[in-house]
Amino acid sequence: MEPIVWTDKLLLDYEPMDTVHRDFIAVLAAAQAADDANLEKAWVEVIDHTRSHFDREDDWMRHSGFASADSHILQHRVVLNVLREGLALARSGQYGAVREMASELAAWFGKHAQTQDAALALHMRRHAEYPAPRPRPGGTERPRARHRASSSG
């Protein structure tokens, strides 16, 4: 099992999404590295993070009029249901199955991020208010274009 690692190929140029994706990678990597005694706890953290991650994206899609929202949200629901099944497996001591699930989740995430999330990031950059720039080290700020939210929400 290859451990999941962050790669710049996952960057979507929408900082709120890039940040949550980096966090997802870290949480999933911790679960992949967990020993049997800590796998259940690590899997709960994967579920908790993923639920929050998906809730945030689902809200963006609903409130910004994202055209592919229904299928994207459905995929989120399916993945969360599978993750909950993984927790039941961990609780019954089927650690190998959970580790296989972690590998499948890593593979799925890369594809999902580069397709469905990339489309959402593009949409958010075009139709929602882009987040304000963070102060850069040394106190310099890089100006960023700001986009207005659509009037549909």
Side-chain angles (χ1 to χ4, degrees):
M1 167 177 67
E2 272 302 303
I4 192 167
V5 294
W6 175 260
T7 172
D8 285 347
K9 288 183 354 186
L10 296 171
L11 281 173
L12 301 176
D13 196 29
Y14 186 65
E15 190 55 37
M17 192 177 290
D18 289 335
T19 297
V20 78
H21 285 177
R22 282 185 194 97
D23 293 344
F24 174 82
I25 297 288
V27 170
L28 183 55
Q32 287 180 313
D35 60 15
D36 289 351
N38 293 300
L39 185 56
E40 180 182 335
K41 179 181 179 206
W43 200 252
V44 167
E45 291 176 16
V46 169
I47 293 169
D48 289 346
H49 170 83
T50 304
R51 183 182 329 108
S52 173
H53 169 171
F54 288 174
D55 284 350
R56 183 182 217 189
E57 288 183 11
D58 294 355
D59 283 346
W60 290 337
M61 288 185 275
R62 285 186 189 106
H63 293 100
S64 68
F66 184 57
S68 300
D70 290 343
S71 64
H72 195 152
I73 290 168
L74 178 61
Q75 190 168 106
H76 285 170
R77 275 194 212 131
V78 169
V79 169
L80 275 173
N81 286 337
V82 170
L83 294 180
R84 289 181 187 112
E85 290 173 15
L87 181 57
L89 294 170
R91 288 180 173 155
S92 68
Q94 297 180 55
Y95 305 121
V98 178
R99 292 183 193 293
E100 180 64 28
M101 191 175 283
S103 290
E104 293 296 324
L105 180 60
W108 168 85
F109 178 72
K111 292 173 189 158
H112 180 79
Q114 292 176 334
T115 57
Q116 291 191 337
D117 284 348
L120 176 58
L122 177 63
H123 170 81
M124 294 302 292
R125 288 193 311 270
R126 289 182 176 170
H127 299 289
E129 184 168 323
Y130 203 84
R134 294 183 196 169
R136 297 183 74 167
T140 62
E141 288 189 14
R142 184 179 71 195
R144 251 183 154 154
R146 297 189 58 83
H147 300 274
R148 303 287 301 159
S150 69
S151 60
S152 64

